Amino acid sequence: MSHTTPTIPRRTLERDVRLCSPALFIDRSATLTIRPARAGEGITFTRTDLPAAHAAPIPALVTHIASQARSSILVPSSNASPAVGVATVEHLLSAMAALGITDARCEVDAPELPMLDGSAAPFLAALESAGVRTLDATIAPIVVREPLLIELGRARLQVLPLDAADEPALHIEYTLDYGPTAPAALRHSVASFAMRPSGQSLHEYRQRIAPARTFSTLPEARALVAAGFCTHLRPPDVLIFDEHGPIDTALRMPGEPATHKLLDVIGDLSLSGRPILARIIASLSGHQLNHRAAHALIAASTSHAHPS
């Protein structure tokens, strides 16, 4: 593909939109209000339930992530407690990336976003109902020039430049494999998607990617409850697998768990702060590895922008 870096129109909402539901990990209701923003503001999160000293907008950037395994938590600074941050932002950010939204103000009255149904679909529907408008400004995407490999235990994430014949997009292939003794849906499965800039892949994302729900195995769910998380949830509130398959619910699509992991990759990599044109090949990748990849993408793009 050409080494001329394209520019992409910045986008925001037409009007405010509000969503409310219980959170995922904490036993508390959360109300999220998403508002239009000016070009260049980026996507920010503000805790409206905290005193003013702790309620400054937090940029949706990986440099503000308190990385951990369960979700993506944005915090005001590197030494800030997650208690003053905003957790589980990845599903909303995935929907925003699919719509090409680059600038928005997100206000939430809890330490975590609403769970809704555990997927990106309700966020996407709400954003679409508010309308998306193009701003009089552009943003330069991250165009990957050299391969990157990020590994953590058995998990790995490769970032590759696009071939000359590739459509300019973020091409993602995600492989999930819990092993041959896992329930069928958690054995070897692959999900793939090509996200083109400025919402051009929206129909496919809406149909194939957004409805995929977050999930856990029954032992993982029991461990979370024992640690004091998710105590308010019962099947079928969330997608939980025992040895036979999903408990008290049915899969929305073949390979739903792998598809949800791909959905998370989109949301987590959007924390690089710019659209990405590259090919991603991920295997067993979770939030921590995704965050490392976002850091690596920023570093690589900076080195190409300012050669030594």
Side-chain angles (χ1 to χ4, degrees):
M1 91 183 265
S2 168
H3 285 270
T4 301
T5 302
T7 57
I8 296 167
R10 302 190 75 106
R11 307 180 91 197
T12 191
L13 300 184
E14 287 279 6
R15 60 176 179 83
D16 295 358
V17 67
R18 180 170 296 179
L19 303 101
C20 182
S21 87
L24 175 58
F25 292 105
I26 58 172
D27 186 5
R28 178 170 169 180
S29 180
T31 299
L32 169 69
T33 303
I34 311 169
R35 306 186 190 277
R38 295 186 298 271
E41 284 190 50
I43 296 168
T44 60
F45 289 82
T46 302
R47 285 278 300 277
T48 60
D49 59 316
L50 295 178
H54 297 290
I58 306 170
L61 296 172
V62 72
T63 49
H64 286 263
I65 280 286
S67 187
Q68 52 93 20
R70 291 190 301 269
S71 72
S72 295
I73 303 177
L74 287 166
V75 290
S77 62
S78 59
N79 60 353
S81 165
V84 297
V86 180
T88 322
V89 298
E90 58 271 16
H91 303 162
L92 171 62
L93 291 177
S94 184
M96 285 184 165
L99 282 161
I101 293 173
T102 56
D103 302 270
R105 300 173 184 173
C106 307
E107 301 172 358
V108 62
D109 65 353
E112 186 179 357
L113 295 195
M115 176 185 73
L116 304 170
D117 70 351
S119 79
F123 291 114
L124 185 70
L127 293 167
E128 288 194 274
S129 73
V132 178
R133 62 184 172 92
T134 300
L135 296 165
D136 188 19
T138 60
I139 185 169
I142 294 174
V143 180
V144 172
R145 309 294 191 193
E146 302 291 339
L148 302 169
L149 175 62
I150 303 95
E151 297 179 290
L152 182 62
R154 293 176 57 225
R156 56 190 281 131
L157 191 152
Q158 292 178 276
V159 184
L160 303 172
L162 296 178
D163 292 332
D166 284 334
E167 177 184 20
L170 176 60
H171 299 259
I172 305 175
E173 179 181 290
Y174 190 98
T175 299
L176 180 78
D177 194 340
Y178 275 46
T181 61
L186 299 181
R187 296 174 200 163
H188 184 88
S189 61
V190 179
S192 61
F193 180 64
M195 190 171 70
R196 299 187 295 277
S198 301
Q200 296 169 25
S201 304
L202 181 58
H203 176 75
E204 186 179 4
Y205 179 90
R206 187 191 301 115
Q207 298 298 316
R208 289 208 305 113
I209 308 299
R213 294 162 292 174
T214 192
F215 68 94
S216 74
T217 64
L218 186 57
E220 289 169 340
R222 286 172 172 164
L224 284 169
V225 171
F229 299 103
C230 305
T231 56
H232 57 300
L233 300 178
R234 299 289 183 272
D237 295 337
V238 288
L239 186 56
I240 299 174
F241 290 88
D242 65 11
E243 64 271 21
H244 304 294
I247 301 173
D248 293 343
T249 188
L251 293 178
R252 292 179 172 177
M253 64 190 76
E256 183 174 356
T259 302
H260 184 81
K261 288 291 192 178
L262 186 152
L263 182 159
D264 281 347
V265 171
I266 293 171
D268 287 339
L269 292 188
S270 77
L271 293 164
S272 64
R274 291 157 58 190
I276 301 164
L277 302 181
R279 184 171 295 278
I280 306 293
I281 302 175
S283 176
L284 298 176
S285 176
H287 295 298
Q288 290 175 310
L289 197 64
N290 299 342
H291 298 155
R292 293 186 186 187
H295 277 292
L297 282 163
I298 292 172
S301 67
T302 301
S303 67
H304 281 291
H306 303 285
S308 57

